[in-house]
């Protein structure tokens, strides 16, 4: 067979030549819709490639983006890697010192920034010595007030260049295409470099595993800085499917529901925090038409089962779970029910849909106990989930010390603990470091949270382990209430009584907060909760 | 990203661990059905791997099969490559001297042969010095009368070995996995060696392009010696979809229709000859229930449009066209209508479905004219179709002389002539060597055949060019009649008059035959027709 490299170029050229009339849509505030075709998309991506070369970007260079989900960001997704550089997507919700760290650590040469986010870069511009050019992604067409220099508007920059470009076919499939830093819970963020090969294979696997095809319309709810928007943009261009990019409107549920109805969205994905926002919008009588939807993926952290059931049963929102992480490009598992499960009783079917899922096509997984032995597929024995495969990272970028334990023995050690049943479905128990060890027995913080969040008065629940003189550790539960609701600690304990695996799972104490601190990608920040307990901000009654 | 090789092993392990209850079914004559699960399939494939090792098969060795589409053949499809050897699937319809040639040329060490096909090998056994062991794939469980030695029954051989096997994870993705020889129209057959990498990528592309997924049930009509049964078995195991293997019953339309109805087949593929047989069966009032079918692919040679329309419209058989060849693993193009075409008028939609299609995800194509320039995407300019990509061959096995012209410049020169329209759909005009050049103008034999076969009296039509003193070449049309039908040459000429592109396209002569000679894979043999004309077996009136 030909030694033909797996490059994103092949996907881009296919969209241009074979799907020139399919659409890409950006949604802006106040119902402003921008709409163009893959034929137009390709022309502007060619212009961008010329522009990058004109700014001195060469093969192997790194280019940063700080941008929302828009068609311009999608142009960067292909323009940068296909001309031979790598796109470093930065998370604008990171603390400023982390942003400074990652841009310097990646040695980015050019920074593309949304007009709405320029203020962030302005605040750190003096600490970014590697950046030689700033380019502003602007829908308004106006240069914002900024101290950045040299600076240019994206549309004006690329307009000077020809609408065709000879994308190199002699890159290596191992060349870096994208870079993403995880929002580390301790220490500096850790960088993951994605190769063309990895992204191409991940796209194929998403298509085959989640059944996304040309006749889908994908709405990208996941930020494009978050593990390549979970890979969606790459596969969608490759298979020529319609894409909707909601920009700032990702958290505006009215606009999202409007886009789903009007563009006939069939596929989307997002974190549970977003689905909770959607649920609250719908419960408040929010307008929606979900008739076009086929597959909705929840990932990033465990989606409470009550939320999944309520969205499905009450609103016809066909949500299921998938499991992955930055180091896995990100898809590792998906909870698609199998063909013979379609007529299963609902309860059993939700056991499947709310599991972490079965392995994506192309990876290898093993779950190993503390002795390093693979656990039995009985749904009960548990261990740490290890992954390997062509779209699994093999190191953290320029960080051998932290790479070593995570990639020991040629497997990525996820730090997640789970079981696998005889059908091959994995259930997550917890993060290794979030498990609560009480009296020598393990308690899953995730299971507890899911049970507590099923109480009608509770909006959010996060469980952490706190030191205990007798049991070594005991679970502490931090909750927030739904608007207008009230509940007592005693009522919650009674509520849990016949639901938990054992009565000693029930937390001794519940702390009522007005909000649970979140990480920059919207997950509960247990690190911050632990710090609040340690620092006395959350006070726990003495035993 | 990890340097994790793309191996068929990953597909096999996934089916065993994540889809253990999904089924594989073999259909035998007299309604005998064999049925087992991927869990059982995996155990027997492990036993097979041990057995191969016990017969002295090592990494890099070649093993031959001459077998029908059965579960045992499917075990060979994974057992042989996953233990490190390559499976050479032989076409039992080849002339004996070609069979001798390919088995010797491939230097096969072990030969697996169906009990029903042993007589073929018996006839050539003295000319196969490289074969050290014969293994008989037997459903009856009885050793047939044979002079082969040493010989053993497959089930007895593998039964001795353990049901687990440590399939090596350190093979190279470039290692040969399968070998297939094309039925050459001139000279000896040409070998194509498929790598693990190529087959894995081809499987992904088939899944994403033809939308085959876990919830499909695939019926393998294409012989497993014919370009890896068009790749179906590999992808199906990988995604864990149900498979039906019809063995000898492939040409028994009653049994095929029964299998489709009872197993709820959703996907199948085959050559037009088979679809013509199906059509005739249905026209004769044959029993059928096609309600489960979603996608049917016709390939191998052009499917007459009338046949496609009749099967779709009259019988609800959702057939569309794809285009490929042995050298392309085989999928290159597929005529899936795009999402916005679903409400197109039927006639326009059949233009799409009966085209050769758009490029599969992962390949590159160009159509070049006689000057080597790429033609315009206007649906009119035509040229030769060139392909490159990770599942396109880069040579014929041990045959540098014939490899050179076919793989010049890093592209595979298909020898097919076609156009491409602005939507990216390719239409085939002809084989370069089958085009008829009359008075300096080209006539497409394929177009003419399709028109002539739409006449109700005509069963088959094959057009070849014959020498002409004035026009250099003129088309000659050879036809066979439907049972009980009659038509004259004059009537056919009148019939074509307002259908052909120009009146000089109408053949001067029609030859009525009782059958059109076929190649070993069921295509019209124009080579043989030309020889019949040259040898006087077909007599053409002098001008």
């Amino acid at each position: 067979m030909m030694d033909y490299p797996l490059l994103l170029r092949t996907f881009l050229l296919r969209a241009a030549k074979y799907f020139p009339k399919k659409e890409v849509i950006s949604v802006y505030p106040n119902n402003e819709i921008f709409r163009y075709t893959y034929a137009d998309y390709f022309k502007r991506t060619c212009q961008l490639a010329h522009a990058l070369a004109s700014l001195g970007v060469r093969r192997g260079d790194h280019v940063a983006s700080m941008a929302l989900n828009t068609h311009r960001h999608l142009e960067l997704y292909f323009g940068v890697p296909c001309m031979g550089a790598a796109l470093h997507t930065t998370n604008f919700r990171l603390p400023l010192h982390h942003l400074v760290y990652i841009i310097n650590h990646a040695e980015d040469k050019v920074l593309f920034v949304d007009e709405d986010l320029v203020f962030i870069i302005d605040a750190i511009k003096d600490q970014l010595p590697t950046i030689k050019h700033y380019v502003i992604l602007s829908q308004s067409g106006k240069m914002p007030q900024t101290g950045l220099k040299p600076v240019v508007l994206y549309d004006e920059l690329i307009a000077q260049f020809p609408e065709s470009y000879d994308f190199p076919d002699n890159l290596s499939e191992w060349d870096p295409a994208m870079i993403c830093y995880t929002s580390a819970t301790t220490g500096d963020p850790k960088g993951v470099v994605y190769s063309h090969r990895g992204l191409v294979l991940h796209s194929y696997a998403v298509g085959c595993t989640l059944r996304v095809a040309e006749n889908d319309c994908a709405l990208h709810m996941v930020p494009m800085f978050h593990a390549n928007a979970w890979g969606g943009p790459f596969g969608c261009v490759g298979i020529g499917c319609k894409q909707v990019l909601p920009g700032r409107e990702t958290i505006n549920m009215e606009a999202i529901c409007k886009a789903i109805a009007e563009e006939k969205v069939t596929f989307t994905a997002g974190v549970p925090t977003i689905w909770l926002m959607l649920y609250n919008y719908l419960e408040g009588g929010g307008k929606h038409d979900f008739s076009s939807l086929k597959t909705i993926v929840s990932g990033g952290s465990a989606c409470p089962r009550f939320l999944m059931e309520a969205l499905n049963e009450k609103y016809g929102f066909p949500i299921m779970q998938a499991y992955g992480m930055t180091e896995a490009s990100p898809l590792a598992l998906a909870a698609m029910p199998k063909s013979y499960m379609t007529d299963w009783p609902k309860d059993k079917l939700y056991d499947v849909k709310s599991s972490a899922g079965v392995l994506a096509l192309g990876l290898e997984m093993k779950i190993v106990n503390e002795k390093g032995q693979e656990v039995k597929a009985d749904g009960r024995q548990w261990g740490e989930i290890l992954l390997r495969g062509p779209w699994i990272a093999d190191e953290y970028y320029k960080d051998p010390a932290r790479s070593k334990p995570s990639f020991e023995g040629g497997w990525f050690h996820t730090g997640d603990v789970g079981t696998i049943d005889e059908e091959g479905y994995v259930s997550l128990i917890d993060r290794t470091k979030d498990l609560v060890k009480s009296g020598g027995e393990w308690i899953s913080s995730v299971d507890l949270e899911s049970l507590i969040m099923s109480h009608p008065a509770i909006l959010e629940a996060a469980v952490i382990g706190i030191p205990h003189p007798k049991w070594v550790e005991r679970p502490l539960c931090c909750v927030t209430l739904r608007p207008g609701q009230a509940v007592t600690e005693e009522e919650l304990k009674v509520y849990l009584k016949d639901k938990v695996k054992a009565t000693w799972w029930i937390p001794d104490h519940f702390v009522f907060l007005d909000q649970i601190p979140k990480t920059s990608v919207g997950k509960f920040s247990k690190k911050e909760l632990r710090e609040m307990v340690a620092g006395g901000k959350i006070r726990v009654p003495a035993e």
Side-chain angles (χ1 to χ4, degrees), chain A residues 211-377:
Chain A
R211 302 174 202 161
V212 191
E214 181 274 334
N215 57 350
D216 277 298
C217 170
L219 168 69
H220 298 301
M221 303 277 282
V222 178
M224 288 173 80
F225 62 72
H226 189 197
N228 315 315
W230 298 359
F234 295 116
C236 287
V237 168
I239 58 177
C241 91
K242 180 177 166 183
Q243 301 188 61
V244 181
L245 297 150
R248 295 193 84 79
E249 301 296 84
T250 311
I251 52 169
N252 174 352
M253 290 302 133
E254 193 183 340
I256 289 297
C257 287
K258 193 164 179 284
I260 290 173
E262 292 185 357
E263 303 300 338
K264 302 207 186 312
V265 170
T266 64
F267 177 88
T268 189
V271 293
T273 317
I274 292 281
W275 307 133
L276 204 53
M277 288 170 62
L278 176 68
Y279 177 65
N280 290 329
Y281 166 78
L282 296 170
E283 287 287 281
K287 213 178 142 190
H288 64 283
D289 171 4
F290 294 157
S291 57
S292 58
L293 291 172
K294 287 193 315 197
T295 307
I296 312 296
V297 172
S298 179
S301 57
C303 188
R305 178 159 167 168
F306 92 89
L307 180 60
M308 199 171 272
E309 289 198 36
L311 283 170
N312 261 298
E313 299 299 323
K314 206 163 163 188
Y315 298 105
F317 192 77
I319 192 169
M320 49 154 256
Q321 192 142 242
Y323 166 78
M325 62 279 299
T326 306
E327 294 86 342
S329 295
L331 186 73
L333 305 166
M336 301 294 281
K338 295 175 191 169
S339 49
Y340 54 81
M341 296 176 176
T342 47
D343 55 359
W344 276 16
K346 270 186 186 166
D347 198 52
K348 218 173 145 193
L349 199 56
Y350 281 111
D351 285 347
V352 169
K353 286 189 188 179
S354 63
S355 77
V358 299
L359 192 68
L361 177 60
L363 298 181
E364 248 186 289
M365 185 190 73
K366 60 181 181 182
I367 300 184
V368 296
N369 63 22
E370 286 160 308
K371 292 175 194 152
Q373 299 156 330
E374 211 167 334
V375 305
K376 260 179 105 169

Side-chain angles (χ1 to χ4, degrees), chain A residues 58-194:
Chain A
R58 300 286 173 262
R59 180 171 171 184
D61 283 344
H62 298 169
V63 169
S65 68
M66 176 176 286
L68 296 159
N69 293 13
T70 69
H71 62 285
R72 290 184 186 85
H73 207 173
L74 189 65
E75 289 160 13
L76 287 164
Y77 256 54
F78 275 86
V80 175
C82 291
M83 68 84 69
L87 179 68
H88 171 201
T89 55
T90 69
N91 176 352
F92 49 81
R93 297 202 196 98
L94 281 184
L96 293 183
H97 70 282
H98 276 173
L99 278 176
V100 170
Y101 172 83
I102 64 174
I103 293 170
N104 284 314
H105 188 259
E107 299 172 72
D108 300 322
K109 285 180 76 171
V110 180
L111 195 154
F112 290 79
V113 54
D114 258 349
E115 54 190 341
D116 296 341
L117 303 170
V118 167
F119 72 98
I120 299 174
I121 301 299
D122 260 317
I124 56 172
K125 66 177 192 303
D126 298 333
Q127 303 168 66
L128 306 177
T130 64
I131 302 289
K132 302 299 173 215
H133 297 275
Y134 294 94
V135 184
I136 294 176
L137 307 171
S138 164
Q139 181 68 4
S140 73
K142 291 181 209 117
M143 177 62 74
Q145 280 285 345
T146 175
L148 302 180
K149 62 185 170 195
V151 66
V152 62
L153 289 181
Y154 178 87
D155 286 15
E156 288 179 9
L157 170 69
I158 69 169
Q160 314 162 36
F161 296 101
E163 292 180 337
S164 69
Y165 185 87
D166 195 12
F167 288 103
D169 60 3
N170 61 353
L171 301 179
S172 162
E173 66 187 37
W174 299 97
D175 277 1
M178 301 289 285
I179 303 172
C180 183
Y181 283 75
T182 67
S183 48
T185 42
T186 50
D188 294 321
K190 295 176 281 188
V192 173
V193 177
Y194 304 95

Side-chain angles (χ1 to χ4, degrees), chain A residues 2-8 10 169-174 196-197 200:
Chain A
M2 289 182 182
D3 185 0
Y4 182 89
L6 305 178
L7 300 178
L8 292 174
T10 311
D169 60 3
N170 61 353
L171 301 179
S172 162
E173 66 187 37
W174 299 97
H196 283 260
R197 172 182 163 107
V200 164

